[in-house]
Structure formats: C-alpha cells, structure tokens
Amino acid sequence: MTEGAVQLDEAGLDGLIQALRRKGRRVIGPKWADDAIVNDEISGVADLPAGWGDELEGGRYRLVRRDDGALFGYTLTAQGWKRVLHPPAVTLFSAAKTADGYALTPAAAEPAPMAFLGVRACEIAAIAAQVQVFETDPGHQARRNAALIIAVECGRAGATCFCASMGTGPAVTGGYDIKLVELEGRRFIAQAGSAAGAEILAELNAPAAAAVSQNPAMGRLMAAETARSLSEFAEHPRWDEVAKRCLACGNCTMVCPTCFCTTVEDQTSLTGDTASRVRRWDSCFSVEFSYIHGGAVRTQGRSRYRQWITHKLSSWHTQFGRSGCTGCGRCIVWCPVGIDITEEVRAIDATREGR
Ligand code: SF4
Ligand code: SF4
C-alpha cells in the first residue's frame, strides 16, 4: 500500500490531526516543553514545535531556531515512544482486603486508541524491537495495537545519528500507517502504508502528488562488524578506560528506545488493606540489578558498561536475531560525560588484528 500519495499544506496536516481525533484517537506528537522537544498529547498543528531545530552532540542537547519555520525540523524528541508503549511504571495488579480474603484487580483494561505523530525511521525500528521483546506481554501488545503510526521522514540527521550504519534509516520504508515528508513552506507529501492510513487520507480529499523520500547524511558511523562481535572482547582493556569516565548513572538505558530491563516492587498499605505489584524501569548500570542470592555479580563500572554495550550490540543478535541498537544516538546525547557508543566500538575495532 505505497501508492496514492497526496499533498497536504499546513491546514491539511491539521485536518489529518482532527480526523484522527474525531475517530477517538489521542494524538501524541512533538511539543516544545522546558527547552526540549518531547512527545505529548497535541490538539492541532499549533501545538507543533514550529521553527525549532536541535544541536546534538556527546553530552549536549540544545534547541535552536530555524529560519524556515519547519514543523518537524528537530532531529528526535528527547525521549522516544518507549515512554508510552513501555511506561516507566506499570501496575501489574492490585489487591484489596475483603471480608473473606483479597479481591484482585488485574492490570489496566484496553488502552484508548492513540496516534503517534512524528515517528522517525529509527523509532519505527525501536518499536518493532520492543514488540519482539514483549511478545508475551499482553499489556504491551495492546498498547502497540492501539497506536496508529504517522511517520515523518528526517530532513536532516543530527550529529549523533548513525541509523544508516544500523540499517534502520534514515528513509522510512515500512512499519507505518501514514508517512509524511515535509517540504519547504510547511507542505507535506503523505503516503499511506496500511488500510487504516489509506482510509484517513481518503477522508482529507487532498490533491494527488508524487511520492518522495529524503536521505540526509549521517553524523556518525558505527563499526558494525566489530559491534556485532563484541562478545569476543570480554577482557579488552577498553572496559577499564571507559569505566574511568562512566558515572554508572543509567541515563543511556533510560533514553534508549530498546532498553527494556525492569524490576518488580510490591507495595502494601500501612494498614495491610491494599497492595499492588508495580513493574518499574531498571538499568544494568545499577549494582542491585545484578544481585543474585547474596551478592551482585557486576560490582565494577567496567563490567556494567561492558554488559550494556555487549548485550545491546552483540548478544541481542543471539537472543532476538537483531541488534538492540537502532542508531538513534540518544545515549550519546544524554550521557552526562558524553560517552559515545560508536567511539567505544571504534576503539576496540582499531585494536583488532589485521586492521
Ligand atoms: S544504544 Fe544508543 S544509539 Fe543505540 S538505540 Fe539505544 S540510545 Fe539509540
Ligand atoms: S555511559 Fe554515560 S549515560 Fe551511560 S551510565 Fe555511563 S555515564 Fe551514565
């Protein structure tokens, strides 16, 4: 379903948002908030971050004004769609005391229909990766199935982007219901990728147009072959070197759109009348995360960084048949000391025999 592109102007894009809202969908898209572009509920085009771009570097995120007024002129939102599909805290069930025992209330009912506006190519790959990880989690599957994907192809890549190395972008080639390409003057080419997307576009009565695609140059490059074989470098001296810089703060795992580790907490009221079990994001950078029967097995920074990057880039292939990295670059941007996943792999790559 890739034929049948139409052209939308700014009013047409607003018409698309309103059509989604009329169908009962909560539209979540990019918004300016606290000097960052974040995903939040939007009610129309006026909520979009018009004229904002971003500068991304290791440990650095700055919004900058653009002179073209583009609506999707930023690279990526600060956090991705993981916050919606795999929320930081999920109540798995709760219990309340009754006269003859406890009444259990299972996890949330069906999520309300949603539409994600502004999904980039690397984010489509991240959503697919987490669907695979949470294959047996009905809550995650229900949230994903409730979301329509309105992708927006990147017109420019950030300095920390390397999706081309990971084969996830920058072109949007699948996994969307509607794909938008922003042209100059807040004009868009919209193309359906599913029956649901085609139905909505047909309602807009927009003029037909030729499909287009964009291919911005990448800011960074991943040494993909070495990345995939990182499991073979468990004793590499680079782990000691990176441990001197790494604060083990876990920021990289929080912003990573594919990181999925969690912990489970049981909470009981002081009276003992109610209790709940909550699943929360956790991180392989916390010492407690590797605690097993009497002690943690990853007590040093070197072993925690090694665990994260080796799992992400290498053992994901064994576990899930794909890399756990989509090349979005968020872990580089939001690392307070600017540790760069591509640079760490390159340092190991440079020491390989025959290089
Ligand atoms: S490891 Fe870094 S670059 Fe790769 S998907 Fe996660 S945040 Fe993005
Ligand atoms: S690599 Fe950076 S973001 Fe990740 S834990 Fe270390 S200091 Fe924090």
Side-chain angles (χ1 to χ4, degrees), residues 10 13-18 21 27 30-31 41-49 71 117:
E10 193 175 348
L13 180 64
D14 196 58
L16 170 61
I17 295 171
Q18 303 316 327
R21 282 159 53 85
V27 182
K31 248 185 178 176
E41 183 159 2
I42 60 167
S43 55
V45 155
D47 287 338
L48 297 175
L71 296 175
L117 175 63

Side-chain angles (χ1 to χ4, degrees), residues 246-252 285 305 335-337 339:
C246 176
L247 309 173
C249 65
N251 266 18
C252 47
F285 281 94
Y305 187 85
C335 173
V337 291
I339 292 174

Side-chain angles (χ1 to χ4, degrees), residues 67-348:
D67 54 16
D68 61 358
L71 296 175
F72 297 90
Y74 62 93
T75 310
L76 280 170
T77 51
Q79 291 208 32
W81 303 97
K82 180 170 88 169
R83 283 191 76 82
V84 183
L85 295 175
H86 174 41
V90 171
T91 300
L92 299 175
F93 63 83
S94 50
K97 204 169 188 177
T98 61
D100 53 357
Y102 281 91
L104 285 185
T105 307
E110 284 295 298
M114 303 176 277
F116 294 168
L117 175 63
V119 185
R120 305 298 196 185
C122 65
E123 298 186 302
I124 290 176
I127 290 170
Q130 285 218 320
V131 164
Q132 197 177 342
V133 169
F134 291 108
E135 194 179 15
T136 56
D137 178 338
H140 191 278
Q141 302 296 327
R143 287 187 289 277
R144 169 62 190 91
N145 291 336
L148 212 70
I149 305 285
I150 318 291
V152 176
E153 208 162 69
C154 292
R156 61 178 271 276
T160 48
C161 292
F162 56 99
C163 63
S165 298
M166 307 312 292
T168 61
V172 172
T173 54
Y176 60 89
D177 294 287
I178 296 173
K179 161 181 151 176
L180 299 174
V181 175
E182 183 167 12
L183 309 176
E184 273 181 26
R186 297 187 186 170
R187 292 173 303 119
F188 296 85
I189 302 297
Q191 201 176 347
S194 72
E199 185 189 319
I200 292 172
L201 285 187
E203 287 176 22
L204 302 179
N205 291 319
V212 293
S213 193
Q214 306 189 95
N215 190 21
M218 290 289 108
R220 277 171 165 70
L221 188 73
M222 173 64 88
E225 195 189 324
T226 299
R228 189 169 176 154
S229 59
L230 273 190
S231 308
E232 299 165 20
F233 298 93
E235 298 308 325
H236 200 281
R238 186 71 183 185
W239 308 130
D240 289 315
E241 201 281 328
V242 71
K244 290 180 195 152
R245 291 173 282 137
C246 176
L247 309 173
C249 65
N251 266 18
C252 47
T253 56
M254 300 296 120
V255 295
C256 177
T258 65
C259 275
F260 56 83
C261 289
T262 55
T263 187
V264 171
E265 292 173 1
D266 286 340
Q267 301 168 346
T268 313
S269 66
L270 285 176
T271 59
D273 289 339
T274 58
S276 59
R277 176 161 291 178
V278 179
R279 188 179 74 187
R280 292 187 191 283
W281 285 0
D282 204 343
S283 169
C284 51
F285 281 94
S286 80
V287 176
E288 298 77 22
F289 190 71
S290 69
Y291 184 95
I292 46 170
H293 54 78
V297 297
R298 288 193 288 270
T299 55
Q300 298 172 310
R302 75 188 291 276
S303 52
R304 297 206 286 279
Y305 187 85
R306 180 182 60 192
Q307 162 65 25
W308 175 70
I309 193 172
T310 303
H311 183 220
K312 179 103 349 215
L313 296 177
S314 185
S315 33
W316 258 70
H317 284 280
T318 316
Q319 197 174 0
F320 300 112
R322 63 192 300 164
S323 173
C325 177
T326 65
C328 74
R330 282 192 179 96
C331 57
I332 306 171
V333 173
W334 294 100
C335 173
V337 291
I339 292 174
D340 177 343
I341 189 170
T342 65
E343 192 183 315
E344 298 312 314
V345 173
R346 203 159 40 248
I348 292 176

